[in-house]
Amino acid sequence: MENVTNFNLDAVIQAVDSVGKTCQAGSTEEEALRIAAISLLYVRHLKKVDDFRRYYAEFFDPSFQVKVAHSFATKGEADAWLASGKAIDGERVSIAGQGFLVVQLPKGLKFLRNPLPEELGPPNPESP
């Protein structure tokens, strides 16, 4: 499949909706397709379609590398940095060799476990 970044977002949303109508009402598949369509509407609502197009292109770019903004030897060092106010929502960090993502939650910034590619090992050629 060709990586086309100038796709028509409305056509994609309509296609997802059309496929969703072929699923059994209340099924997991119908719910997943509804969430996918609403996610695309949300991207448009936030006026982030161009950002999504860039992300989409990066997703299929074999040379894309996950960028780690900061590396910490210990969880204590990472927690101190997070508490310092210097962290930014969406930054990827490495703590003792494990990947995390800084996320903004209602009660403040937290680390969310987000494994780095090297933690996952080489791709399995037999998986789809």
Side-chain angles (χ1 to χ4, degrees):
M1 183 169 128
E2 187 178 326
N3 177 12
V4 179
T5 59
N6 63 344
F7 53 82
N8 179 325
L9 188 64
D10 289 327
V12 173
I13 293 168
Q14 287 175 352
V16 170
D17 182 55
S18 177
V19 171
K21 289 177 181 174
T22 67
C23 297
Q24 180 178 347
S27 68
T28 303
E29 293 81 5
E30 181 201 32
E31 177 72 11
L33 289 167
R34 182 178 7 188
I35 291 169
I38 292 170
S39 298
L40 292 171
L41 289 169
Y42 184 68
V43 167
R44 184 173 60 193
H45 173 75
L46 293 178
K47 298 181 180 12
K48 297 288 187 178
V49 175
D50 289 337
D51 290 344
F52 180 74
R53 288 181 198 283
R54 279 189 291 280
Y55 176 80
Y56 181 82
E58 287 176 354
F59 189 86
F60 291 102
D61 182 354
S63 67
F64 176 75
Q65 299 290 316
V66 172
K67 295 171 186 75
V68 175
H70 303 279
S71 293
F72 303 96
T74 67
K75 177 93 165 73
E77 290 175 19
D79 287 338
W81 171 78
L82 191 67
S84 76
K86 295 178 183 176
I88 299 171
D89 181 51
E91 280 185 302
R92 289 184 185 271
V93 299
S94 173
I95 304 172
Q98 294 185 325
F100 291 84
L101 187 66
V102 175
V103 294
Q104 179 66 55
L105 297 176
K107 292 187 178 186
L109 293 171
K110 301 288 181 194
F111 291 119
L112 176 68
R113 185 74 168 97
N114 193 303
L116 298 168
E118 55 268 24
E119 291 180 76
L120 302 175
N124 182 353
E126 295 184 21
S127 58

